[in-house]
Amino acid sequence: MHGRPRKPLKPEDSAASIAKANKLRTLQSQFYHIHHNKIYDKEALDMSAKLLEMNPEIYTAWNYRKLGVESNLQSLSDPDSIKSLLDEELRVVESALRQNYKSYGAWHHRKWVLSKGYSSIEREFRLLDQFLKADSRNFNGWNYLRFVAALQHVSEEEELKFTTDKINANFSNYSAWHNRSVLLSHLLNRKAQGFVPREKVLSEEYELVHQALFTDPDDQSGWFYHLWLLDQTVNQDTTLLISSWPVHAVEGVNSSTVTVTSMLEKNENLIWKPLSTNKSERSTEMINWKDENFVTSDALLQDFTPTLHRFNQLTINKDHESTNSKWHVETLENEIALFRELLSEVNCKIAKLTLARLLMSLDVIMSSRAICKQRTHTKEVLELFNDLIKMDPVHSRYYKDQHSLLLMEQVTSDEESLAKHFWYYKELTSSLSRTNFCLRINKLSLSRIGFLERLLWIQMLDLSHNELQSIEGLESLQLLIYLNLSHNRISCFTALEPLRLIKSLRSLDISYNEIGMHSIDTTS
Amino acid sequence: MECGNYSMKKRLSITQQEQVHVEQKVFEIFKILDGVSPHTQSLMLEIWRDKHIEFLTRGLRGLAPSYSVLDANRPWLCYWILHSLALLGVPIDSEFENNVVDFLGRCQDANGGYGGGPGQLPHLATTYAAVNSLITLGSQRALSSINRDKMHKFLVQRKDSSGAFRMHDAGEIDVRACYTAISVASVLNILDSELVQGLGNYIISCQTYEGGIAGEPGSEAHGGYTFCGLATMILINEAHRLDLPGLIDWVAFRQGVECGFQGRTNKLVDGCYSFWQGDVLALVQRLSSIVQEQLKLAHVREAQNPAKACYVETHNSTKGDSDPCGSSHQAGELSDIGQSFLEGQAEWGPLLNSIALQQYILLCSQINTTKHMSSSLGLGSFGIQPCSVGPT
């Protein structure tokens, strides 16, 4: 059976196994006889019970028993005999479950019996307690528990208590945590008594999960529940900044051609703010990307600044801030402090990843509320990702991508940091047009690019000497004319697909990449 | 809340003990690999084709008594064996083929569908297995033995008002049933709007906050059901209605330090999930445009939602018309979705660590003494893992 240890068969076991198979064969042929002839007397039913106890997977036999019960119920009218008939079914299911506690057919039959409404629900809870002790992750059991609780109209509050007991007994019991999350979702959403205010309940849950996390930081169960808690902590009321386009340069983009769909209830209030750009002049196509051709100058930058209108200059008006945002920020800060403490004692992968994500989201919230413009935790997060790359090589590409994205965020965050990467390309011809301003983001080991919505005005971009395997998102740079992707790790032409959508592109350097180096991936 | 608690001696829970135990066994094996010459390494990392073929063909003739628990699942045995042999490139001789077609013919119910054995009630899972066995054989005889009209009626009878399907008459409802029904309908070209009605809504209700998909609403995300759920949505052209970034995130992180996949959070690695979880990522390779659209909107919400990409409802205008509650589709159109999906380009490379997974399968699932694959390290199953071979 799946998941059970396989031990070599001893001779006596081997003989027993053959005997069992023979018995099964006999029972089966007898069974088909009674089933096809619709025989439902006691002897027949007993025989089907024996069969199911030996092999609960014979779903046809469960159906037979249902038919038998229906047939025999027709001749009964007093509740007691009905109840004892159905109790017999429950007894058969129980024996079958001891043979294989994961049998779909057995659990389903039990649900069918219970739905008739004559059986003791107390007993079901006791039975479940046993089964879930034997295997706390038995999802058939958990599904059945939810079914019975609904039948009983057991209050969600009581069910919640059940999960608390299970969790206190064993923090690793992920199924208990999971059930808890389902119950709490309902209780919070309908603002049940004792579960308001939401923030108080969530704060208590945080305390509960902290105990689990600190007891066993490497155990995934607590972390997943923590993830759910963070999800619940989410504030859905703030204004969202969606995106920006240079309105004259990208044709056809305006409020009548673009629709924004979102899950939020309030979908209106979409404000369009026009950006201005000036048309650029086309100059020569050949670009010599060598370092000596680039110079930097503050004076030049100031000249260009009026046309820069970046994403994060739009900040949320204080009036629109919603009331529990303060709790939101405080909770995040608490969690961050706690995980820093945990990590000072133990080197735990999930903790690091969670901490990194928390720091990033705190930064985003702070900067969107103009509390502080710069992201303050970038350095710490970058270090965390570097650690993770070493600790968890299986997912290193993911961590590297996150690391790269953060670097890109840093680069594009404001005028000051952009200025460091903003160079003027000296041309052999004398015209000083804006085309010659180049953004150079090199030697940062970038494995992917992001935050391009802040760079929509870019016409010349140098991403050489990185580790890019993909340039997803680059197609949003609709004003791009010159692009340098040399000395990267692009391995196939399909990775260059985004370039097809950049109609303005006139010069491209993709030398020193890895196109054609790897044999064809047969899974694609 | 004192963190000093942690500095006290750590008592491992049973879950933790088992995890540590498996990790140790796996790392021992990987250590051996590290210590040998490249030539030996390459020998160690081979699939024992001949041994597997021998094991499988023996199985096709007869199975040991311990397999009696699978008596209600005999078409599965046909499928696992035939499919594995096909993947290994072994031709089936006509005698075997005739035997299989005859046998499955006797499992076919007069009113449509296939049961676990002759005389058994028709069941969606065994139907899936039988149909795919016959398709693997591929001969005129094998294919024409399937009664498509009756099959359609059988599938319609399994349809439930929730939009989902029941595994058999008066049987349980879950995401497996949805997949087996739709997959069979699609491949047999009998998929219509009656079968598809409301199905997307049911499967969406099974996607959990974790990102994966559960067997039924309220249950935990689970690798097997995640595959079934995603595959079904693809076949009915509603994959865009799932939170794909969340799904990918959950599945990708189910690949652990052992290099194989676990089926659910905090459970042990198991070879069978190489298929269930691995294949989800293989399918996703062809959904990149939808995922990217969802990510663009998710990026903005990331500020609000620290740890996962948001759940986004997007309009899909790229892959043709999708009309979740539609009733205007012709049978032919719907059945073509699967085919055109497969013919499309995989726009991304693998989203799992493919080499690591192969290493796990070849070194930890492939067992020498009994010459077949075990589902989990030292833990047994009936030993056939045709699916592990597939996606890598």
Side-chain angles (χ1 to χ4, degrees):
Chain A
M1 196 186 93
H2 184 81
R4 289 228 183 114
R6 185 180 7 99
K7 302 178 191 109
L9 227 46
K10 299 186 221 103
E12 55 268 26
D13 290 340
S14 186
S17 179
I18 295 174
K20 182 179 166 190
N22 287 334
K23 180 128 206 291
L24 210 55
R25 205 175 296 132
T26 319
L27 275 175
Q28 259 163 223
S29 48
Q30 288 173 343
F31 166 72
Y32 289 129
H33 172 74
I34 56 169
H35 176 51
H36 290 124
N37 290 305
K38 302 195 201 306
I39 303 170
Y40 303 122
D41 61 31
K42 186 169 185 324
E43 198 187 323
L45 283 172
D46 281 348
M47 192 259 286
S48 73
K50 269 205 207 65
L51 180 63
L52 285 167
E53 282 154 27
M54 283 185 80
N55 183 6
E57 302 316 309
I58 302 182
Y59 58 91
T60 311
W62 290 116
N63 268 41
Y64 162 83
R65 285 200 77 90
K66 289 183 182 72
L67 291 165
V69 165
E70 297 286 354
S71 160
N72 291 331
L73 273 179
Q74 281 168 17
S75 53
L76 292 176
S77 52
D78 70 296
D80 280 335
S81 15
I82 296 179
K83 189 171 185 302
S84 85
L85 179 73
L86 294 173
D87 278 351
E88 174 62 12
E89 294 308 301
L90 294 179
R91 189 200 61 77
V92 174
V93 170
E94 214 177 304
S95 324
L97 283 176
R98 291 192 197 289
Q99 180 66 10
N100 173 14
Y101 58 80
K102 295 185 187 180
S103 167
Y104 283 99
W107 285 107
H108 185 70
H109 193 71
R110 208 171 179 91
K111 277 190 196 171
W112 181 83
V113 171
L114 262 284
S115 312
K116 298 234 173 267
Y118 287 89
S119 317
S120 147
I121 298 201
E122 280 316 303
R123 198 173 84 196
E124 296 310 295
F125 282 120
R126 284 201 298 275
L127 188 78
L128 273 168
D129 211 38
Q130 280 176 46
F131 275 109
L132 290 177
K133 262 205 190 76
D135 175 10
S136 62
R137 300 302 300 275
N138 180 354
F139 64 76
N140 279 313
W142 282 98
N143 286 344
Y144 186 70
L145 173 63
R146 283 185 275 268
F147 166 81
V148 171
L151 214 57
Q152 171 80 319
H153 306 293
V154 171
S155 69
E156 285 171 323
E157 288 86 338
E158 278 180 61
E159 274 197 88
L160 195 71
K161 184 170 177 311
F162 179 75
T163 65
T164 313
D165 292 340
K166 280 271 168 268
I167 289 166
N168 285 332
N170 174 15
F171 279 132
S172 289
N173 193 341
Y174 179 71
S175 303
W177 287 108
H178 178 86
N179 207 29
R180 198 177 178 79
S181 68
V182 173
L183 294 165
L184 273 176
S185 287
H186 295 161
L187 289 164
L188 289 172
N189 284 342
R190 63 179 171 85
K191 297 192 166 49
Q193 195 178 27
F195 290 89
V196 176
R198 189 187 173 90
E199 290 80 15
K200 176 164 160 292
V201 175
L202 292 177
S203 298
E204 283 167 7
E205 290 303 305
Y206 272 112
E207 286 209 26
L208 182 63
V209 83
H210 288 158
Q211 288 177 47
L213 296 177
F214 275 82
T215 311
D216 267 316
D218 287 318
D219 190 298
Q220 295 175 15
S221 305
W223 289 106
F224 261 88
Y225 190 67
H226 189 262
L227 213 68
W228 176 78
L229 278 178
L230 288 175
D231 197 32
Q232 294 300 306
T233 306
V234 156
N235 171 349
Q236 297 192 334
D237 288 342
T238 47
T239 322
L240 283 184
L241 307 173
I242 306 291
S243 189
S244 58
W245 293 272
V247 97
H248 299 300
V250 181
E251 299 191 359
V253 175
N254 55 52
S255 51
S256 59
T257 55
V258 175
T259 44
V260 174
T261 327
S262 102
M263 239 202 98
L264 305 175
E265 293 139 42
K266 304 165 201 145
N267 211 355
E268 317 79 36
N269 306 324
L270 188 68
I271 304 163
W272 289 77
K273 281 183 95 135
L275 299 177
S276 60
T277 57
N278 295 307
K279 288 213 171 74
S280 63
E281 283 172 25
R282 301 286 168 97
S283 50
T284 62
E285 263 101 332
M286 285 301 292
I287 304 288
N288 186 334
W289 293 96
K290 287 217 190 76
D291 276 339
E292 56 258 27
N293 290 337
F294 289 92
V295 296
T296 182
S297 154
D298 287 329
L300 290 167
L301 178 58
Q302 260 146 34
D303 210 18
F304 199 53
T305 308
T307 49
L308 303 180
H309 189 136
R310 264 169 311 286
F311 189 71
N312 58 0
Q313 281 187 2
L314 306 168
T315 56
I316 300 176
N317 193 311
K318 278 236 153 55
D319 297 340
H320 291 131
E321 255 186 57
S322 96
T323 47
N324 59 356
S325 59
K326 187 159 167 282
W327 175 78
H328 185 183
V329 169
E330 272 171 16
T331 307
L332 284 182
E333 285 173 340
N334 275 347
E335 294 304 294
I336 287 171
L338 213 63
F339 293 136
R340 278 186 180 141
E341 225 181 296
L342 177 65
L343 284 169
S344 68
E345 299 203 6
V346 79
N347 206 18
C348 166
K349 169 187 110 174
I350 317 180
K352 279 195 200 268
L353 184 57
T354 308
L355 180 59
R357 284 169 165 167
L358 285 172
L359 288 167
M360 287 195 290
S361 55
L362 186 63
D363 275 350
V364 173
I365 292 167
M366 301 294 241
S367 65
S368 75
R369 290 174 196 177
I371 297 168
C372 56
K373 283 287 246 174
Q374 277 284 355
R375 289 197 185 196
T376 47
H377 299 109
T378 304
K379 187 160 175 290
E380 192 180 344
V381 178
L382 288 171
E383 269 170 34
L384 284 168
F385 279 122
N386 278 329
D387 287 343
L388 282 165
I389 290 170
K390 292 190 208 99
M391 277 178 85
D392 184 11
V394 173
H395 296 110
S396 57
R397 262 187 78 172
Y398 170 72
Y399 299 130
K400 224 168 148 18
D401 279 357
Q402 293 298 105
H403 189 273
S404 300
L405 279 178
L406 205 55
L407 283 175
M408 285 234 50
E409 199 287 322
Q410 211 175 26
V411 165
T412 59
S413 53
D414 61 17
E415 287 155 33
E416 230 186 281
S417 42
L418 266 179
K420 297 192 196 107
H421 294 268
F422 210 40
W423 296 70
Y424 172 55
Y425 177 68
K426 256 187 321 195
E427 277 230 292
L428 296 177
T429 66
S430 58
S431 62
L432 185 84
S433 78
R434 288 190 186 85
T435 316
N436 297 1
F437 282 98
C438 179
L439 190 65
R440 305 181 78 202
I441 311 179
N442 315 117
K443 300 202 176 87
L444 289 176
S445 303
L446 293 176
S447 59
R448 64 173 284 196
I449 47 179
F451 295 94
L452 293 167
E453 66 274 9
R454 298 176 177 176
L455 303 173
L456 297 175
W457 40 275
I458 290 289
Q459 291 167 331
M460 194 167 171
L461 180 60
D462 181 354
L463 289 169
S464 61
H465 295 93
N466 277 297
E467 294 177 29
L468 293 173
Q469 290 177 296
S470 121
I471 48 168
E472 273 168 40
L474 203 60
E475 66 272 11
S476 49
L477 302 183
Q478 286 290 310
L479 300 179
L480 197 60
I481 304 175
Y482 308 104
L483 178 62
N484 184 0
L485 289 172
S486 66
H487 294 94
N488 271 292
R489 300 179 68 187
I490 297 178
S491 59
C492 60
F493 285 113
T494 14
L496 298 174
E497 271 302 304
L499 299 179
R500 281 209 199 186
L501 299 166
I502 305 178
K503 302 208 164 44
S504 46
L505 195 64
R506 304 244 308 255
S507 164
L508 171 68
D509 185 346
I510 47 170
S511 54
Y512 297 99
N513 272 286
E514 295 178 2
I515 299 177
M517 255 183 73
H518 305 290
S519 53
I520 297 170
D521 184 352
T522 51
T523 59
S524 59
Chain B
M1 178 67 250
E2 311 94 43
C3 63
N5 277 343
Y6 184 71
S7 11
M8 286 173 10
K9 182 157 180 283
K10 178 171 147 171
R11 265 182 54 210
L12 297 178
S13 67
I14 299 177
T15 310
Q16 271 311 104
Q17 285 169 30
E18 290 181 351
Q19 175 66 20
V20 167
H21 177 67
V22 169
E23 279 182 21
Q24 278 170 357
K25 288 182 91 164
V26 170
F27 294 156
E28 264 167 44
I29 294 175
F30 290 166
K31 222 168 110 182
I32 297 173
L33 182 76
D34 276 341
V36 298
S37 70
H39 175 69
T40 315
Q41 278 184 347
S42 125
L43 286 175
M44 280 177 78
L45 291 170
E46 268 182 7
I47 195 166
W48 301 323
R49 218 175 148 266
D50 296 333
K51 293 181 183 165
H52 294 312
I53 292 172
E54 196 205 310
F55 172 73
L56 291 165
T57 38
R58 241 187 312 131
L60 210 45
R61 279 183 231 112
L63 293 163
S66 53
Y67 285 85
S68 55
V69 291
L70 289 173
D71 195 78
N73 279 310
R74 292 165 69 189
W76 277 113
L77 292 164
C78 292
Y79 173 62
W80 288 320
I81 294 174
L82 289 173
H83 187 65
S84 305
L85 288 171
L87 286 171
L88 292 169
V90 176
I92 307 286
D93 74 39
S94 47
E95 192 202 334
F96 267 154
E97 186 186 317
N98 288 336
N99 286 343
V100 171
V101 175
D102 277 337
F103 171 69
L104 290 176
R106 283 181 288 129
C107 296
Q108 186 166 210
D109 189 81
N111 293 318
Y114 292 79
Q120 294 185 37
L121 219 57
H123 187 293
L124 279 176
T126 46
T127 299
Y128 173 87
V131 167
N132 281 294
S133 301
L134 294 166
I135 290 175
T136 306
L137 290 172
S139 66
Q140 176 67 8
R141 183 158 179 256
L143 297 175
S144 55
S145 69
I146 307 173
N147 186 330
R148 290 166 65 243
D149 282 335
K150 287 274 160 59
M151 179 67 78
H152 183 263
K153 290 195 174 63
F154 167 68
L155 294 176
V156 166
Q157 280 172 344
R158 300 286 75 78
K159 181 86 174 168
D160 180 74
S161 52
S162 61
F165 287 82
R166 285 187 187 273
M167 294 300 298
H168 59 89
D169 184 21
E172 66 274 19
I173 296 177
D174 61 28
V175 173
R176 290 176 304 157
C178 299
Y179 171 65
T180 46
I182 295 298
S183 165
V184 163
S186 175
V187 82
L188 292 180
N189 213 3
I190 51 176
L191 186 59
D192 61 17
S193 47
E194 194 183 354
L195 293 173
V196 167
Q197 179 79 24
L199 184 53
N201 294 338
Y202 176 78
I203 294 181
I204 287 172
S205 74
C206 294
Q207 182 170 28
T208 75
Y209 69 90
E210 302 148 280
I213 299 176
E216 50 187 84
S219 197
E220 296 169 55
H222 181 293
Y225 294 117
T226 303
F227 167 78
C228 289
L230 178 64
T232 308
M233 294 298 264
I234 289 174
L235 287 172
I236 62 174
N237 211 10
E238 294 185 31
H240 60 283
R241 298 179 67 201
L242 290 167
D243 168 13
L244 291 174
L247 194 141
I248 296 171
D249 196 74
W250 182 79
V251 175
F253 274 97
R254 302 281 65 74
Q255 183 171 25
V257 293
E258 312 92 332
C259 298
F261 279 95
Q262 65 185 175
R264 289 185 269 161
T265 309
N266 218 3
K267 289 210 80 183
L268 298 174
V269 65
D270 189 309
C272 72
Y273 294 110
S274 314
F275 172 70
W276 300 118
Q277 305 279 35
D279 206 46
V280 168
L281 297 175
L283 289 173
V284 158
Q285 282 178 256
R286 286 178 164 77
L287 294 174
S288 61
S289 53
I290 303 178
V291 178
Q292 281 182 55
E293 272 217 38
Q294 290 186 354
L295 279 174
K296 278 185 196 145
L297 293 168
H299 172 59
V300 172
R301 289 265 285 156
E302 227 152 47
Q304 312 272 331
N305 202 338
K308 72 175 178 74
C310 70
Y311 176 56
V312 177
E313 183 100 5
T314 56
H315 285 313
N316 175 20
S317 56
T318 50
K319 285 217 157 61
D321 210 15
S322 98
D323 186 4
C325 307
S327 50
S328 55
H329 288 292
Q330 307 287 333
E333 274 173 41
L334 284 170
S335 298
D336 289 334
I337 297 171
Q339 180 70 15
S340 38
F341 176 80
L342 288 174
E343 282 168 357
Q345 275 277 13
E347 291 131 359
W348 281 334
L351 293 168
L352 58 138
N353 191 326
S354 169
I355 302 294
L357 183 62
Q358 290 180 57
Q359 184 174 307
Y360 174 79
I361 294 173
L362 293 169
L363 295 179
C364 304
S365 282
Q366 199 168 221
I367 302 276
N368 201 1
T369 47
T370 43
K371 298 180 186 128
H372 60 242
M373 290 194 170
S374 156
S375 76
S376 37
L377 191 60
L379 304 182
S381 74
F382 43 81
I384 303 172
Q385 293 299 330
C387 313
S388 306
V389 183
T392 58

